Amino acid sequence: MTNLTRTPALALGDDALILSHRLGEWAGHAPVLEEEVALANIALDLLGQARILLSLAGDEDELAYLREERQFCNVQLVEQPNGDFAHTIARQLYFSLYQQLLFDHLATGGSELAPLAAKAVKETAYHRDHAEQWTLRLGDGTDESHTRMQRGLDALWRFTGELFEPVDALDAPWQTLRDEWTTRLTTVLERATLTVPQGPQHGAWTAGAGRQGLHTEPFGRMLAEMQHLHRSHPGATW
Amino acid sequence: MTTIAPEESALEAVFDATVAADERIEPRDWMPDAYRSTLIRQIAQHAHSEIIGMQPEANWITRAPSLRRKAILMAKVQDEAGHGLYLYSSAETLGTSRDELLDKLHTGRQKYSSIFNYPTLTWADVGAIGWLVDGAAITNQVPLCRCSYGPYARAMVRICKEESFHQRQGYELLLALSRGTEAQHAMAQDAVDRWWWPSLMMFGPPDDESAHSAQSMAWKIKRHSNDELRQRFVDICVPQAEALGLTLPDPDLSWNEERGHYDFGPIDWTEFWEVLKGNGPCNAQRITRRRRAHEDGAWVREAAAAHAAKHGKADR
Ligand SMILES: [Fe+2]
Ligand SMILES: [Fe+2]
């Protein structure tokens, strides 16, 4: 494990860990039984990715359960609360499109992340397809679903700029990824009769700083819940 | 039924012969109305139990104490959703629909297993549920793999495989706690103390008080009586508890050489009937949450239907 891989492994591992956790919160609440299965599938894939990535950077449980909020370096997008189903789908669409493009790139490179990326890219293609299918159904479904889907996309738009901020020691053509992401997103949203949000892709001063350990308020509560039991029994094995 | 009596009695003779020969009744075969409605009731109750049963365990997904345990638990809860899917599909082969059955669940006209009206108070409860509740479910369900109704029997084969996986994972979780710190051991013992008796109640009332048993046995929907299955479960659990280093909360548990079975103490049937009537610790919470998920999802299901109608695709 070179020090050079630690930062990217943590960044991408935290993204997967935190999004998996948020998706896990849907268990028992999904709008149809098929979505209980689908959302759990995605959450499990992401958790699998997180475990591999965090293990490249250290001990997976120490990293997940014993770091403080300021030490997590996931993008702020993934920590955003679930909201309604449309909000969750918007978050998933933004993230899966980005993750697939990035992993596609990493899979063909020679870094220590290449094997993981090559495996994950198939999973991510399914996640993206799932999000796209729902974006089409909700965007071009009823008036209510259209409104909700657009609202979800708009609300999360200000967290999308951070996806393409360069990560230390991670060699990727960030601007090209960003352009490709925008093109693909535009195609999906147009088919879904939705509009690409127009506002800034970075918000107030904290927005876009998740990679530097600056997070949004809901994140601390999420971590408190996630880490509580593990921290209550120091040194125990489970 | 519009069928005239002589034809019907011929059909009934075919049905009886099929059941007697231990062959399977399939969806297109003629079957008595009461057989059909008994199966719908039983399969629906089983399906509802799978989806309500997701709640007590999902309660711990966000707090699972290691990433490995979190992955196992998420996969388990996902399996239960999958079981619900197969079971609603097998009920649909009898001429009902998932929507209709869910509506009956939400309005209290159909039940789910009372075991899920107990709360999961600590992490060890996840282990106790896997070991005891999935364990009891397997004991109940393995004979259903030979049920006379084909689609139900086939669904049970698949489900039982996954349930035995859950049972082993639950056992392994408890073993890790039992051998862990003092606090972890105490947590495991407390969970077993709370789940043991409700698990024994999962086999239903004693044989002489069981409303539907005799007819179901004759139809080979059911193969063993409630008390037989309960005894089988106790006999399996006692040595496993010893191996876990945990005790079962029953001072009367002892090996009976003559019977070749463990004797066990009296079950509190008052508690059983009270929980069944709706007075358990979580009845209201479970059904409220289920209804809310369904109501919150209504606009999503409507959107999917509207999209499918516009684009000529059958999808759900
Ligand atoms: Fe199940
Ligand atoms: Fe199970």
Side-chain angles (χ1 to χ4, degrees):
Chain A
M1 174 71 227
T2 60
N3 230 2
L4 275 182
T5 319
R6 193 166 192 273
T7 307
L10 269 184
L12 305 185
D14 285 349
D15 285 351
L17 177 74
I18 302 307
L19 186 55
S20 165
H21 186 95
R22 284 297 189 203
L23 291 170
E25 292 173 352
W26 271 102
H29 293 280
V32 278
L33 207 39
E34 284 80 355
E35 283 308 298
E36 292 284 358
V37 177
L39 294 172
N41 247 329
I42 300 170
L44 279 164
D45 285 345
L46 290 168
L47 184 53
Q49 294 170 12
R51 294 182 65 191
I52 296 171
L53 286 160
L54 294 182
S55 298
L56 285 173
D59 177 86
E60 59 174 29
D61 285 338
E62 262 178 54
L63 288 168
Y65 291 101
L66 298 177
R67 274 182 299 161
E68 301 290 328
E69 176 173 345
R70 295 281 279 106
Q71 296 171 292
F72 277 83
C73 45
N74 54 281
V75 290
Q76 292 178 351
L77 175 67
V78 297
E79 75 203 33
Q80 296 312 306
N82 289 335
D84 66 8
F85 186 70
H87 197 83
T88 290
I89 292 297
R91 187 183 63 197
Q92 200 63 41
L93 181 70
Y94 288 156
F95 183 78
S96 302
L97 265 174
Y98 146 81
Q99 205 194 29
Q100 194 188 5
L101 289 166
L102 179 61
F103 283 178
D104 258 335
H105 168 78
L106 294 176
T108 55
S111 79
E112 282 179 75
L113 301 180
L116 169 274
K119 177 177 171 282
V121 85
K122 289 179 209 127
E123 298 168 352
T124 305
Y126 160 74
H127 306 169
R128 195 219 61 223
D129 185 60
H130 173 266
E132 281 187 9
Q133 295 305 320
W134 274 111
T135 301
L136 294 173
R137 286 187 200 114
L138 298 181
D140 192 14
T142 63
D143 288 347
E144 181 181 7
S145 68
H146 179 91
T147 307
R148 285 178 186 257
M149 191 66 216
Q150 189 64 56
R151 201 191 295 154
L153 292 164
D154 292 347
L156 294 168
W157 184 245
R158 70 193 181 95
F159 298 104
T160 54
E162 187 185 8
L163 297 171
F164 305 99
E165 291 296 322
V167 175
D168 278 351
L170 186 62
D171 179 30
W174 297 103
Q175 189 54 48
T176 315
L177 293 180
R178 184 180 192 137
D179 295 342
E180 184 64 20
W181 182 88
T182 309
T183 308
R184 292 192 190 187
L185 180 73
T186 306
T187 309
V188 178
L189 297 190
E190 277 173 2
R191 273 185 67 204
T193 73
L194 294 159
T195 319
V196 179
Q198 288 308 308
Q201 283 175 275
H202 289 277
W205 72 274
T206 52
R211 292 272 186 247
Q212 279 74 52
L214 283 171
H215 295 280
T216 53
E217 283 188 351
F219 187 54
R221 282 178 190 280
M222 198 211 91
L223 280 189
E225 183 173 339
M226 182 175 108
Q227 297 182 333
H228 168 261
L229 177 59
H230 184 98
R231 286 180 180 244
S232 300
H233 297 261
T237 32
W238 300 94
Chain B
M1 279 259 101
T2 52
T3 329
I4 52 161
E7 264 181 44
E8 183 155 322
S9 67
L11 290 167
E12 187 148 14
V14 174
F15 172 84
D16 289 342
T18 309
V19 172
D22 260 333
E23 283 164 15
R24 295 281 156 80
I25 304 296
E26 293 300 334
R28 286 157 180 274
D29 296 342
W30 183 90
M31 62 189 84
D33 287 346
Y35 176 84
R36 185 185 298 275
S37 60
T38 296
L39 273 170
I40 291 178
R41 181 177 51 77
Q42 181 171 335
I43 299 173
Q45 177 166 334
H46 189 168
H48 300 331
S49 303
E50 299 285 356
I51 63 166
I52 296 281
M54 295 168 69
Q55 289 184 31
E57 295 197 272
N59 186 35
W60 283 93
I61 287 178
T62 52
R63 292 177 286 173
S66 74
L67 297 184
R68 174 173 163 264
R69 293 287 176 199
K70 189 174 187 170
I72 291 173
L73 181 57
M74 268 189 189
K76 185 192 178 196
V77 173
Q78 182 190 39
D79 283 347
E80 307 304 3
H83 297 169
L85 279 174
Y86 317 146
L87 287 164
Y88 285 120
S89 306
S90 36
E92 285 179 336
T93 65
L94 291 159
T96 180
S97 69
R98 195 203 301 180
D99 286 346
E100 191 182 337
L101 298 177
L102 283 175
D103 189 54
K104 286 184 175 159
L105 170 65
H106 298 152
T107 52
R109 285 174 294 154
Q110 283 179 343
K111 297 203 174 300
Y112 55 89
S113 176
S114 274
I115 192 75
F116 300 118
N117 290 318
Y118 290 86
T120 46
L121 302 178
T122 72
W123 169 250
D125 291 35
V126 171
I129 289 185
W131 178 45
L132 295 173
V133 175
D134 286 82
I138 296 163
T139 309
N140 259 331
Q141 290 167 15
V142 164
L144 291 175
C145 299
R146 295 185 295 126
C147 162
S148 60
Y149 187 58
Y152 189 32
R154 288 187 288 274
M156 289 319 306
V157 172
R158 193 162 164 189
I159 289 173
C160 280
K161 272 188 206 148
E162 292 180 352
E163 301 297 13
S164 56
F165 217 65
H166 299 165
Q167 192 266 353
R168 269 178 281 153
Q169 289 167 334
Y171 179 90
E172 197 257 324
L173 190 162
L174 285 178
L175 189 64
L177 294 180
S178 180
R179 292 179 176 174
T181 65
E182 217 172 294
Q184 286 177 307
H185 182 89
M187 192 193 279
Q189 184 61 59
D190 167 61
V192 169
D193 289 347
R194 282 181 289 108
W195 288 92
W196 173 248
W197 290 108
S199 303
L200 293 193
M201 295 177 199
M202 284 175 70
F203 297 92
D207 294 345
D208 48 8
E209 288 170 41
S210 175
H212 308 287
S213 279
Q215 181 60 71
S216 288
M217 300 267 277
W219 278 329
K220 296 188 181 169
I221 293 174
K222 210 173 149 83
R223 298 267 178 174
H224 306 280
S225 79
N226 295 353
D227 287 330
E228 271 168 41
L229 292 167
R230 185 165 17 243
Q231 180 70 60
R232 187 178 294 178
F233 179 67
V234 171
D235 291 346
I236 293 169
C237 288
V238 174
Q240 290 181 347
E242 280 167 21
L244 281 171
L246 298 171
T247 58
L248 296 171
D250 180 356
D252 296 332
L253 257 186
S254 64
W255 177 251
N256 183 325
E257 193 66 55
E258 206 174 306
R259 292 201 309 124
H261 290 292
Y262 284 93
D263 288 336
F264 54 95
I267 291 172
D268 181 359
W269 292 110
T270 313
E271 176 178 320
F272 174 80
W273 293 114
E274 281 300 312
V275 178
L276 197 70
K277 268 193 287 180
N279 299 326
C282 302
N283 300 56
Q285 177 189 329
R286 299 284 186 247
I287 206 70
T288 302
R289 173 147 166 210
R290 176 88 270 288
R291 264 194 228 125
R292 199 197 313 132
H294 191 74
E295 285 159 13
D296 288 351
W299 69 269
V300 178
R301 297 189 300 276
E302 282 157 22
H307 184 265
K310 282 186 212 176
H311 298 272
K313 271 182 290 181
D315 79 11
R316 193 151 188 150

